[in-house]
Structure formats: structure tokens, C-alpha cells
Amino acid sequence: MWQAIGFLGIRRSSSILMFISHLTQCFMELEVKLRFYLLDVSYEIHGGIPVILMWGVSDDGRRVLVLDRSFRPYFYTVLEEGVRESDVVSRIKLLSRGDSPIVSAEATQKKYFGKPVKVVKVVTVKPEAVREYRELVRKVRGIVDVVEADIRFSMRYILDNNTPPCQWYEADVELVEGITRYRASSLYGLVGKLRPLDVAVPPKLKVLALDIEVYNPRGAVDPSRDPVIVISVATSGGDLKLLTASDGPQPQDREVIREFVNYVLAYDPDVIVGYNSSRFDLPYLVERADKLGLSLDIGRVKGSTPRPSVHGHYSIPGRLHVDLYDFAEEIPEVKVKSLDVVADYLGVVKRSERTLIPGHEIFKYWDDRSRRELLLRYARDDVVSTLKLSEKFLPFAIQLSSLTGLPLDQVGAASVGYRLEWYLMRSAVEMGELIPNRTEREYEPYRGAIVLEPKKGVHENIAVLDFTSMYPNIMIKFNIGPDTYAEEATENCYRIPGTSYCFRKEPPGFYKSVLTTLLKLRKAVREEMRKYPPNSSEYVILDERQRALKILANASYGYMGWVGARWYFKPGAEAVTAVGRSVIEKAISIAKNLGLEVIYGDTDSIFVSNRPEVAKFVEEVMKELELEIKVDKVYRRVFFTEAKKRYIGILDDGRIDIVGFEAVRGDWSEIAKEVQENVARIVLETGDARRAVDYVRNVVLELKQQKIPLEKLVIWKTLTKSLDEYEVSAPHVTAARKMVSLGFKVEKGSKVGYVIVKGQDQISSRALPYFIAKLSDVDVDYYVKHQIVPAALRILEYFGISEKQLETASRTGRTLLDFR
């Protein structure tokens, strides 16, 4: 019966009702209860009507698909004050047309930025018709705005039914038979609504990691020309396979792609993970398969292939494709985001213990049979690293998906602002608030947080105190938001210090309501964590959830000042920072009154001498300012320059913090960052700058002896515009142009890695792409004078060490004790 849906032409609303009635009778005779974990929500058009597809895993381990044929697309129109609702409804209904008629237009009431408004809810049949009706309805007399017409249909379903993915649900369903286009153990039709279950632990999801290697004798690869030589797969079930192309004058990859498709279908993963797979692996496989007359039919909808979707990710129908690179991008400590570096940083696969091959030489390892085994080891290490990274990232991603409503395959690709926005949208629906349209705006700067002038020099035993969720708590305390903004100050308003802004005390605004819920949820989750041992699955899940809640709450202030936000409100962002500055100033005053020396202050934290009075300071701050503050960390020794946001410190556990120096910048070579961190460690641990000088001298000697690996000399820089827009050839531009001449695709946003080689020309003209440079060609003097020495001097110059002393390795210099 359901097979026939696609062949029915639905032209009139009465026909749709008859069709639905007939459809209902075709279900099997008895309803059953289904408990399942919701993975994803999508939709298809069946017989002219949209059908929601809910992919999930049942509590007995079956991969199920639940169909809901009752939901229809709609949007709201905001009416002029005093207009007759019936007149507007009549005018809207006259616009009904074609195979997606307006099936209803009903007047109701909502809130818009906290104010009651009359609206008309306009319902049609096909989701794509919403855009057309939106423009037509906008012109109707008596309508001042059209909202919620830019929300994707499947996400509209999640919002309206409060059914975010990555949660357990129970539903009354009827078994559906006769539909063969879906790869699922069981198909059901939904009866009524999903009911959330109080179950935290996800089912055992089947995860498949993917990585490909491409034959690249021409440098840049082209799917219309260059075959895939290795497809590596590793699964959460413990399987590991290296699928390889067949030999010939040129590798043949038709069969290896077929083998990959068959493997995916046989394993039937819930989640497919890759590293940069939305930008390379999946689009390449899709295009390559198409070139060979094949279909990369690896989804749970037969005949469908991976395709680009929202936020730049590649979607696989019925499965969740998660590009782990999106989460690696959010690790600020790692500047080079290559798979091997990120895996090493997170401790999943040590870089020193894995096989590494220069990317541009992959074809050589394939052609040379004596080295092909190394290529296969490289491919194996890549896919194993990818699978292990998924174990690190997916628990957090699952909690973000559950909170925001964004499906797991989208939540990583979405920015922090978009993640928070979807949480706000879920809250708006629950509170009866209309969701504002997204509009384009020019960036408007506003005054930010307070940053104190640091006390230059070396300080010992320093406590760093952080205000807990300071900005969200300020927004709650002063009821800050666009719906509480008061044009004129009254007794019932909060006046913001240092500004002319006022916000009504009552009723609680939209932001206050949402943030109060977020912080209460986090507190409840942290309380719940105490019931479980830290190594239990329940504890790990709850820990990831509280972290996700914290990130969402802390993003609220920045979101309000983001010009792309639906709930954008610049005065609110300015008010929050104004209060934040006042809070820090008052906290500093309290600290000084208690005899604590204040060394530095930045945004929501202050650095003070770590003395017994710190406990009293915390008590008084919480009492007077009504904000929670706690000791975040203690430095055994910390060194400040005269500049803001620039210091180095050593913590009690021996870790080094470096803030504001080259070691945290991405456009310096790895050797410069390594030298700076080690110099910091030496001077902080020993108190003797002369030892650091000796260390730098030894690095320079190793560089001259070619003992420093070439990879540590690579400088990475991002192209901020297309190559033809650059008038001056900076080193990375020169290197990029050389890459293009070698056949590589380089465009705006590409990261270019280069080294500086010997020669008499300007430095910019001596930049070579790192993969064609040789260690013997490296300009040692350049790296000494422009990388190693400057990086070390940023610290050592404050201890009386000069550039000349470093280069001549003089033993003179002062110790840390001279800076007390």
C-alpha cells in the first residue's frame, strides 16, 4: 500500500483528507508500544504529502523507522493592531493554489518579544510551498510581518513536538508493511505523539570510521581522473579493513568502491565518522563513483547518496555522518589540525608511534611495491585514529544534539551561536514566543569586558579566581533582553551602571527564563553526577551534559551581540559588559580591603596573592555581589609583562600556561612554539634565565646540524582572499601559487604550509610548499633570526637577555630572583 503513495497525485485538500483516511485503514490491525532511541528526523514527499521519517534504535536493538504522516508545514503572519482578523484570514485563503493549497488559516495569539500580538497561522501541504506563500502573504493588507517561514520542515517537527534527537521515547505505533525503499528492521506508523522517557544511557550505537587515500601523481587530486587506492574502515564492533584498488598501468577503483558500498550496507552503521570527510572523503567518493557509473548508495534510503546539506556537512539519508574535524576546530590549544596532531594531543594515538607519509608522496608508496605496506599502515593508523577520536567527541556531541535539537550530524558543523539559537528556538515554542526572522546586519562594535594592567614581573603563589557563569548570571539578575528593555527609567527598572540603559524587573524576560532553566539544569546534572562513580557510563554521560549546558549558557552574552542572531540586541550586550566591568571593580576593592594583592584581572577572573584571606574574599564577594566565585587554579610562579593578556605561569601540577605569546599563535613554526614553551618552563622551574639561553643555543646547533625534523619548520598561514586579490606576494601567497602550478587546488580559506629555503632573493620569494622542500635546502639563518630567537626573546628580554647574547650564547643574564 505505502508503495503506491509516490504515484498518487494530490491536487485538492479534500482529496488529501480522503487519501489520509484510506491510508490509516491500511495499517496492520493492532497498535503496539515502541520504545526507541531517536537518531535523526528527516522527511520525504509521498504521494504529494510530506511524511516525517524518524530513524531510531529500539530498546531490543532493532534499527527502526517511524513514519508520521500527520504533520504539515506552516508559518505565522503578525497582524496590524485593530485589523479585523476574519478579513485577513479571508484574503489569505484566496491565495491558495496548485498542488499545495492553503489547508487552513486560523487567527490566534502569541507573544512577540514579550508583547501579546494577534497572528494568523497559515498551513499548507508541501514544505517547499512555504517560501512562495510567504512572499504572497507578506503583501496582504493588514499584515505587518511574516515569521517562522525560514525554519526547515524536519526541524519544525522537532520544535513543535519537543522531540530532540539523541533521546529515548515511547510511542504507540502500527506496523507498516509493503514499503521496500527503506533499509530498516521494522517500519511503523506513528499513532499520537512521542513520549519522552527518563533514560540517560544511549543504546550501543554502531559506528563506522572512514578514511580514503587517492592516487595523486599530479599533486592535486581530481575525482574525474584520479582513482581511490585505499578505503580504510574501522568499526566500533572491532572490525578493521583496508580495501584496496586493483593493479594495472593505473590503479582501478571500480571494485573497491563497490566493495565499500557492500561493506557499509552489511555492517549497517548508525553513525559514520570521518576526519575532514565533509570536505574531502565523502564528496570525492560520490563524484568518483558517479564518474565510474556507480552509485554510492550507502544510506538507509535505497537509491540515495550522500549530499551536501546545511552548515556545510554531508548528509547520509538514514545514517548520521559526523565530521570529527568540526570538533577538532574547537580545540584552541592545537593550531595545526591535522589528524595525527589532534590524535596525539588527545592521547588516542601517539604521533611517535604511528606511520607518517608526506601527503604529496602517497602515489609513490603505491607504485613502489616495496613501500606499499607502509602506505597501508599509514591508512590503518589514520582510520584507527579517526575511530578513537569519535570515542572522545561523540559523547559530547550527543549531549549537544539532545539539548539543542540539532541532529548529531549537524551539531558539530554548526557554530556555537547556531547551537544556542536552536536551544532558544525550542524554548520560544514552549513559552508561546514567536521566533524572529534571521536578518542581515552590519557589524556594530561595542565596549567589551574589563582587562586590568598587570603588575609586571614574577609573582609566586598566585590564585586565579573565576566568577561562575558571570555573564549569564548578570543577564538573569538584571533581567536583560530585548523584551524587557525600557525606553525610560522608572522605579520598576534596573539601571545599568555606566550606561543609560534600563530593564524592567518584571515579568521575567525571555533570556532570563531560558538562562535560569539552563543553569538550574546544569546544577541538577552536577548533583546527579555525585550518585555515580567517575568511571561509570552514567557519570561520563552526565559530565558531558553539564559541559554542554555550560557552553550554551556562557554563549548567551556573545550571541546577543552577534549580528547574525535572531534575538540580536546590541544594547543588551553593552549592558552585560558594563555590569561585568562594575563587578570586577567591586571585587578588586573587596580584595584590597582584605589585604590581598591584586596582580591582574581579565573579563570574569582576577589574580590575587594566594593567602588565607582568599576564603574570606570568596565569602564577601558572594554576599555583596550575589555572584558565585571560586578558585580556578593556583600558579606556583607566574610572570607578567607590561602588556595585557600576556603572561606565562607554572601550575601546581607542573603544567605550563602561556597566554599572549607566539606559542599560541598559528603563524609560527612548531620549533618556535616549542622553544618558547621550553624557555618558559626552564625559567619558571629553575629561576635561572641562563639555563634557558643554553637551551636555545643547543636548539640552534641542532638546526645547523639538520637534526630538527622538517615538519617542525613548517609555517602555516591561511589565505584570507583569493590568490588573484593579493597585490603583494607574502611568503604564504608565493607558496600557494607554487602549489597551483603543481596542480593543487588552493582557494580562499586554504591553509598553506611552507618553509623558507636558502637563496639571495627576498624571503617571500624563497617560500616553498613544505612537501617539496628538503631539509638541506632550509635557510637556517632565517629560522634562527626570525623564528627561534624572537620567540625566546619575548620571554627572555624581560630578564636582561639581548638578541646578541642569544645568538652568541653568552652566559650573562639575570635570574627570576632579580624580578621579585
Side-chain angles (χ1 to χ4, degrees):
M1 177 282 308
W2 276 68
Q3 297 157 303
I5 294 174
F7 301 101
L8 292 178
I10 307 300
R11 300 296 177 190
R12 299 154 55 105
S13 57
S14 59
S15 299
I16 294 172
L17 294 173
M18 291 174 61
F19 169 73
I20 293 174
S21 175
H22 171 70
L23 195 60
T24 305
Q25 296 173 13
C26 295
F27 279 109
M28 297 294 286
E29 61 273 355
L30 294 176
E31 293 180 13
V32 296
K33 288 194 186 305
L34 174 70
R35 294 165 64 95
F36 74 107
Y37 187 81
L38 180 61
L39 293 174
D40 195 13
V41 178
S42 57
Y43 81 95
E44 291 188 333
I45 300 295
H46 290 180
I49 65 170
V51 177
I52 290 290
L53 311 179
M54 288 177 278
W55 305 90
V57 180
S58 66
D59 58 355
D60 57 3
R62 291 174 296 123
R63 271 56 194 174
V64 299
L65 174 59
V66 179
L67 309 174
D68 187 347
R69 62 200 182 281
S70 67
F71 193 64
R72 296 293 175 266
Y74 68 88
F75 58 92
Y76 290 105
T77 66
V78 182
L79 306 185
E80 289 180 359
E81 287 188 20
V83 72
R84 288 182 59 182
E85 300 166 18
S86 58
D87 291 345
V88 177
V89 168
S90 298
R91 286 193 282 269
I92 290 174
K93 287 182 176 179
L94 289 174
L95 299 173
S96 185
R97 61 180 63 186
D99 60 354
S100 184
I102 293 175
V103 295
S104 73
E106 297 179 354
T108 185
Q109 278 211 333
K110 289 280 183 178
K111 288 183 290 182
Y112 199 24
F113 291 103
K115 296 178 180 178
V117 292
K118 292 181 179 179
V119 298
V120 174
K121 181 179 180 181
V122 182
V123 184
T124 184
V125 178
K126 294 183 177 180
E128 57 267 28
V130 166
R131 289 188 294 272
E132 180 182 357
Y133 281 127
R134 173 185 62 190
E135 300 309 315
L136 293 172
V137 168
R138 199 186 298 275
K139 301 173 185 177
V140 170
R141 191 170 71 256
I143 290 176
V144 295
D145 204 357
V146 176
V147 295
E148 301 197 14
D150 59 348
I151 300 173
R152 287 175 287 122
F153 184 61
S154 56
M155 293 302 298
R156 176 85 265 178
Y157 184 87
I158 291 171
L159 290 172
D160 284 24
N161 293 280
N162 195 21
T163 52
C166 296
Q167 289 193 24
W168 285 96
Y169 297 94
E170 182 182 69
D172 296 321
V173 296
E174 294 175 318
L175 188 64
V176 176
E177 291 187 339
I179 301 179
T180 59
R181 71 183 257 99
Y182 302 119
R183 297 180 174 118
S185 302
S186 304
L187 267 69
Y188 298 97
L190 181 66
V191 179
K193 302 288 184 181
L194 298 187
R195 300 180 292 276
L197 297 173
D198 187 19
V199 180
V201 180
K204 189 172 182 180
L205 299 177
K206 297 169 73 174
V207 180
L208 180 145
L210 156 73
D211 187 77
I212 70 171
E213 309 300 338
V214 176
Y215 192 67
N216 60 343
R218 296 174 181 85
V221 293
D222 183 343
S224 68
R225 176 191 67 203
D226 300 309
V228 178
I229 50 178
V230 185
I231 303 179
S232 314
V233 291
T235 72
S236 54
D239 198 15
L240 173 64
K241 283 192 178 296
L242 302 178
L243 312 176
T244 58
S246 55
D247 281 319
Q250 177 165 310
Q252 302 297 310
D253 57 348
R254 180 185 296 272
E255 289 307 314
V256 73
I257 291 177
R258 272 207 189 106
E259 190 178 356
F260 169 68
V261 170
N262 291 335
Y263 183 90
V264 173
L265 296 182
Y267 182 66
D268 193 24
D270 305 302
V271 184
I272 294 179
V273 297
Y275 196 84
N276 205 35
S277 45
S278 278
R279 302 159 185 85
F280 179 66
D281 303 74
L282 279 182
Y284 198 95
L285 283 171
V286 169
E287 290 187 47
R288 185 63 188 163
D290 185 62
K291 174 68 177 177
L292 297 171
L294 304 173
S295 173
L296 201 73
D297 182 12
I298 58 173
R300 283 177 170 157
V301 179
K302 293 179 182 177
S304 63
T305 59
R307 57 181 182 265
S309 186
V310 294
H311 307 299
H313 88 288
Y314 252 67
S315 173
I316 302 175
R319 307 191 198 280
L320 296 166
H321 164 235
V322 179
D323 188 342
L324 302 174
Y325 182 84
D326 294 326
F327 293 97
E329 281 275 82
E330 298 177 9
I331 306 175
E333 296 83 1
V334 180
K335 299 304 172 183
V336 178
K337 308 291 185 181
S338 61
L339 174 59
D340 54 302
V341 172
V342 173
D344 181 75
Y345 176 78
L346 293 177
V348 299
V349 175
K350 290 184 178 179
R351 200 163 184 268
S352 60
E353 296 177 0
R354 60 151 297 159
T355 304
L356 292 171
I357 291 178
H360 65 288
E361 293 187 356
I362 283 176
F363 76 99
K364 295 180 181 178
Y365 285 77
W366 176 266
D367 289 340
D368 184 349
R369 284 185 169 275
S370 67
R371 294 198 290 174
R372 190 177 291 184
E373 181 59 33
L374 282 174
L375 174 62
L376 295 179
R377 284 186 209 163
Y378 170 76
R380 178 203 62 199
D381 290 345
D382 269 2
V383 79
V384 168
S385 296
T386 301
L387 183 65
K388 289 186 175 182
L389 281 181
S390 75
E391 296 168 1
K392 292 282 187 181
F393 290 134
L394 285 183
F396 174 65
I398 284 171
Q399 295 306 316
L400 271 181
S401 176
S402 171
L403 286 166
T404 63
L406 280 168
L408 189 64
D409 58 346
Q410 298 175 27
V411 77
S415 68
V416 174
Y418 280 121
R419 293 171 190 169
L420 175 61
E421 186 162 270
W422 280 106
Y423 184 86
L424 294 174
M425 290 166 72
R426 287 188 61 199
S427 301
V429 171
E430 291 178 13
M431 296 163 63
E433 281 273 351
L434 290 174
I435 298 170
N437 294 322
R438 182 174 289 115
T439 59
E440 293 186 8
R441 306 178 181 89
E442 292 290 331
Y443 172 70
E444 296 181 274
Y446 57 89
R447 189 179 175 193
I450 192 171
V451 183
L452 300 179
E453 294 285 345
K455 290 190 176 180
K456 178 184 172 182
V458 177
H459 307 273
E460 297 194 13
N461 194 21
I462 299 299
V464 182
L465 294 104
D466 281 357
F467 282 93
T468 304
S469 301
M470 184 168 98
Y471 286 152
N473 276 309
I474 288 173
M475 293 172 70
I476 291 171
K477 182 177 179 180
F478 292 93
N479 203 20
I480 294 173
D483 52 340
T484 57
Y485 181 68
E487 296 289 345
E488 296 181 2
T490 67
E491 292 182 359
N492 296 320
C493 291
Y494 293 111
R495 300 186 183 191
I496 304 302
T499 75
S500 60
Y501 301 140
C502 297
F503 296 89
R504 289 186 295 274
K505 295 180 179 179
E506 294 292 341
F510 177 62
Y511 273 115
K512 177 175 181 175
S513 300
V514 173
L515 290 173
T516 300
T517 300
L518 269 176
L519 297 184
K520 282 182 178 178
L521 279 173
R522 184 172 182 237
K523 185 176 181 181
V525 170
R526 289 166 69 88
E527 288 292 327
E528 186 71 12
M529 287 171 62
R530 297 179 182 178
K531 300 178 182 178
Y532 303 98
N535 59 347
S536 66
S537 58
E538 290 86 354
Y539 185 95
V540 171
I541 290 165
L542 290 168
D543 192 31
E544 295 294 351
R545 191 167 187 82
Q546 70 86 18
R547 185 162 73 96
L549 286 162
K550 177 183 178 181
I551 288 173
L552 290 175
N554 288 341
S556 55
Y557 142 71
Y559 172 83
M560 192 162 45
W562 171 43
V563 292
R566 291 179 186 269
W567 281 275
Y568 172 74
F569 188 53
K570 180 188 172 187
E574 290 179 323
V576 174
T577 55
V579 175
R581 291 191 297 271
S582 175
V583 166
I584 291 292
E585 289 167 355
K586 289 177 181 177
I588 290 170
S589 177
I590 293 171
K592 289 179 177 179
N593 288 338
L594 291 171
L596 293 172
E597 183 182 10
V598 178
I599 307 301
Y600 181 57
D602 185 356
T603 310
D604 60 354
S605 62
I606 59 174
F607 294 57
V608 301
S609 50
N610 187 29
R611 292 165 43 189
E613 289 83 2
V614 167
K616 180 66 174 175
F617 169 70
V618 169
E619 181 184 329
E620 289 197 17
V621 166
M622 293 175 68
K623 179 182 178 181
E624 290 189 29
L625 303 181
E626 299 178 343
L627 291 170
E628 183 180 355
I629 191 171
K630 61 184 179 181
V631 176
D632 179 54
K633 53 192 172 185
V634 175
Y635 289 112
R636 291 201 323 243
R637 187 177 282 149
V638 61
F639 167 62
F640 283 95
T641 72
E642 76 288 347
K644 298 177 181 180
K645 295 182 179 291
R646 184 176 295 164
Y647 58 90
I648 55 173
I650 185 167
L651 298 163
D652 280 339
D653 59 6
R655 285 181 295 127
I656 295 290
D657 257 359
I658 298 182
V659 177
F661 291 92
E662 279 71 24
V664 295
R665 282 175 49 183
D667 56 350
W668 281 66
S669 64
E670 189 62 35
I671 191 63
K673 299 172 189 175
E674 185 178 292
V675 163
Q676 190 173 81
E677 182 166 342
N678 286 333
V679 164
R681 182 178 296 280
I682 290 168
V683 296
L684 288 173
E685 287 183 342
T686 70
D688 190 351
R690 291 170 299 185
R691 293 192 185 185
V693 171
D694 290 340
Y695 161 74
V696 175
R697 177 185 60 179
N698 188 58
V699 171
V700 170
L701 183 62
E702 288 186 344
L703 182 62
K704 290 179 177 179
Q705 295 173 344
Q706 297 182 24
K707 292 181 179 179
I708 304 292
L710 184 68
E711 63 196 39
K712 288 191 177 184
L713 306 178
V714 179
I715 302 166
W716 292 90
K717 191 103 175 175
T718 301
L719 292 171
T720 57
K721 47 191 175 183
S722 60
L723 283 176
D724 56 7
E725 292 182 86
Y726 282 97
E727 297 179 4
V728 179
S729 289
H732 70 296
V733 176
T734 299
R737 286 177 175 148
K738 289 174 182 176
M739 290 173 66
V740 171
S741 69
L742 293 170
F744 285 82
K745 183 180 179 181
V746 181
E747 56 194 359
K748 179 180 178 180
S750 296
K751 286 187 176 180
V752 178
Y754 65 91
V755 295
I756 302 300
V757 297
K758 300 170 186 174
Q760 301 300 318
D761 297 332
Q762 293 181 345
I763 288 175
S764 59
S765 62
R766 292 189 278 119
L768 276 186
Y770 73 94
F771 50 81
I772 63 173
K774 297 178 182 177
L775 190 56
S776 57
D777 295 332
V778 166
D779 185 345
V780 172
D781 287 340
Y782 167 82
Y783 281 91
V784 172
K785 292 181 179 179
H786 297 280
Q787 293 276 319
I788 294 173
V789 169
L793 271 181
R794 292 300 293 274
I795 296 171
L796 293 177
E797 66 182 352
Y798 296 99
F799 304 102
I801 304 297
S802 68
E803 181 178 351
K804 184 177 180 180
Q805 286 173 315
L806 265 184
E807 291 177 352
T808 58
S810 170
R811 294 283 299 181
T812 62
R814 288 180 282 176
T815 72
L816 282 174
L817 298 177
D818 298 317
F819 285 81
R820 291 190 177 185

